[in-house]
Amino acid sequence: MDFRDSPQEAEFRARLRDWLTETADGFPTSGDEYWARQGEWHRALYAAGFFGSSWPREFGGHELPPVYDVIVDEELALAGAPPRPSLGYLVQGLGRHGSKELQRRFLPGMINGTERWCQGFSEPGAGSDLASLTTTATRDGDHYVVHGHKIWTSYSDVADWCLLLARTDPEVPRHKGISAFIIAMKQPGVEQRPLKMISGVTREFGQVHFDGATVPADQMVGAPGDGWKLAMTVVGHEREPSTLGYAARYGKLVRQLASRLDGDPPDELAWAAVQTEMLRLHVRRRLSEQLDGVVHGPDGSLDKLLMTWVDQSVGHAALAVAGTGDHELLGSYFYSRAQSVMGGTSQIQKNIIAARILGLGV
């Protein structure tokens, strides 16, 4: 495999570096200020031609090979700029399961950042066991009426729209009774409450109560009962490190930690360096497979476990090098603890690997 830039990729990378030199310093990279200005950063990236690189031109993307997304992620990390807003899994979900009418209506605003989105999947009693969700959507004429409670909903406080999973048929097996909707967040019957994390951030996550909110029936994504298929598409892409751009940021943080040392590195930092390089090579392999047209299914659970190990190794290294005196590095450690829960717990990923890849218990 040859991962050197082609002339076109090199030109794109150079143009991005020049733009970041002029623009990135004005944007925060962490904390509540980052989350408050993430939409502004999204729109700035898009206007400059560096967001939506691999998505369809029909909906505002640039329809370039996925390697261009990796270039963007690498250069953002090297420049110390905010990360690329994570929307790819929603674009994939709507792009694969939504009608052409829904795609034309909603994908352009999602991609260019003029409409903000959140994902209404997890509930207080249905996180890793998503199929047990209890939020309901009941047909009433040409609308559905929604009641329920979602939690860990990213960007819910600023979102215009939510890709929502709700139970539309309680009489069938639980995986088959779930449907997906595009529901407006700014309407009566929707209450958003922020969640403060241990790192001090209050703007990233929220819990959302739906109490009689309505959604037009023609904003169901797919057919009634197709919600589980959409959910598997979304979480499958959410778990792939090649689409999340984490590897470059982990590597940069490890190098920053090493630069603060006078003597030998602690074991935690040495192990984090090994883990980070392993993830970098794994992401390169996944990228090569994408370019060859390989579509990953349950293999995303392997990717998710690997990201969890690396994130937490880097978090432990930050704590070993800086202790609790550096607020930002301490926040990195705290945030890493959530990696084994977000996007599906590590235990669930191991069950998926055992059943769907290794064929155990079948």
Side-chain angles (χ1 to χ4, degrees):
M1 293 183 290
D2 184 357
F3 290 115
R4 291 174 294 183
D5 287 345
S6 69
Q8 295 82 5
E9 292 161 2
E11 186 277 332
F12 179 88
R13 189 185 295 272
R15 183 159 50 87
L16 173 57
R17 283 184 180 176
D18 290 342
W19 181 81
L20 287 171
T21 300
E22 298 174 358
T23 309
D25 285 346
F27 287 90
T29 59
S30 62
D32 277 346
E33 190 179 357
Y34 162 68
W35 293 107
R37 298 187 63 190
Q38 192 201 51
E40 183 183 349
W41 176 240
H42 177 168
R43 292 187 294 274
L45 281 170
Y46 181 83
F50 302 119
F51 191 84
S53 299
S54 61
W55 296 336
R57 188 173 290 108
E58 177 184 3
F59 305 118
H62 303 288
E63 220 162 303
L64 296 170
V67 67
Y68 285 85
D69 286 328
V70 175
I71 291 171
V72 171
D73 291 332
E74 289 177 344
E75 292 302 319
L76 293 179
L78 289 172
R84 182 166 53 106
S86 180
L87 282 172
Y89 48 93
L90 295 182
V91 173
Q92 293 287 345
L94 188 54
R96 182 174 298 184
H97 299 279
S99 66
K100 274 297 181 182
E101 291 75 16
L102 290 179
Q103 291 173 13
R104 293 190 188 104
R105 164 60 186 89
F106 291 108
L107 283 178
M110 182 187 292
I111 292 171
N112 66 32
T114 56
E115 294 183 321
R116 306 293 302 281
W117 283 73
C118 64
Q119 174 188 335
F121 282 22
S122 295
E123 299 181 6
S128 296
D129 185 15
L130 186 59
S132 64
L133 65 84
T134 60
T135 294
T136 61
T138 305
R139 185 73 182 253
D140 183 12
D142 59 357
H143 284 71
Y144 282 83
V145 180
V146 180
H147 290 88
H149 181 188
K150 298 294 182 177
I151 199 166
W152 306 119
T153 309
S154 302
Y155 329 129
S156 59
D157 60 333
V158 296
D160 301 295
W161 302 99
C162 177
L163 185 60
L164 177 77
L165 293 183
R167 191 166 301 282
T168 50
D169 188 347
E171 304 300 325
V172 299
R174 58 184 193 163
H175 291 83
K176 297 181 179 181
I178 298 171
S179 301
F181 298 89
I182 297 172
I183 187 170
M185 289 290 286
K186 297 172 181 176
Q187 64 163 303
V190 178
E191 179 187 2
Q192 195 278 338
R193 301 175 185 173
L195 290 170
K196 184 175 182 179
M197 295 190 293
I198 195 173
S199 62
V201 172
T202 64
R203 298 290 300 268
E204 181 177 359
F205 292 114
Q207 52 181 324
V208 184
H209 293 262
F210 296 95
D211 185 11
T214 61
V215 55
D218 60 8
Q219 287 179 202
M220 177 184 284
V221 183
D226 281 352
W228 188 253
K229 296 177 184 177
L230 176 141
M232 293 302 97
T233 296
V234 168
V235 299
H237 283 275
E238 189 179 11
R239 291 167 183 167
E240 288 192 355
S242 56
T243 63
L244 294 180
Y246 286 152
R249 293 187 178 274
Y250 293 149
K252 182 178 181 180
L253 181 53
V254 166
R255 292 190 295 273
Q256 288 176 336
L257 293 171
S259 70
R260 299 174 62 151
L261 298 174
D262 292 328
D264 294 334
D267 290 344
E268 292 90 344
L269 182 57
W271 181 235
V274 171
Q275 291 264 301
T276 299
E277 179 64 7
M278 177 175 60
L279 180 63
R280 187 184 72 84
L281 295 174
H282 177 75
V283 168
R284 294 289 186 176
R285 180 175 65 178
R286 282 288 193 244
L287 175 61
S288 178
E289 290 170 347
Q290 284 185 13
L291 293 173
D292 287 339
V294 176
V295 177
H296 300 112
D299 286 0
S301 292
L302 293 168
D303 299 338
K304 175 60 169 58
L305 280 180
L306 182 55
M307 281 192 293
T308 296
W309 297 336
V310 176
D311 196 344
Q312 295 183 348
S313 293
V314 173
H316 279 290
L319 197 62
V321 171
T324 59
D326 188 308
H327 178 75
E328 188 167 342
L329 290 176
L330 183 61
S332 296
Y333 167 76
F334 283 141
Y335 201 94
S336 75
R337 307 314 304 159
Q339 185 65 255
S340 52
V341 177
M342 66 173 69
T345 67
S346 293
Q347 290 82 358
I348 292 293
Q349 305 316 313
K350 292 175 182 178
N351 285 344
I352 292 172
I353 292 167
R356 297 179 61 189
I357 297 178
L358 300 178
L360 303 178
V362 177

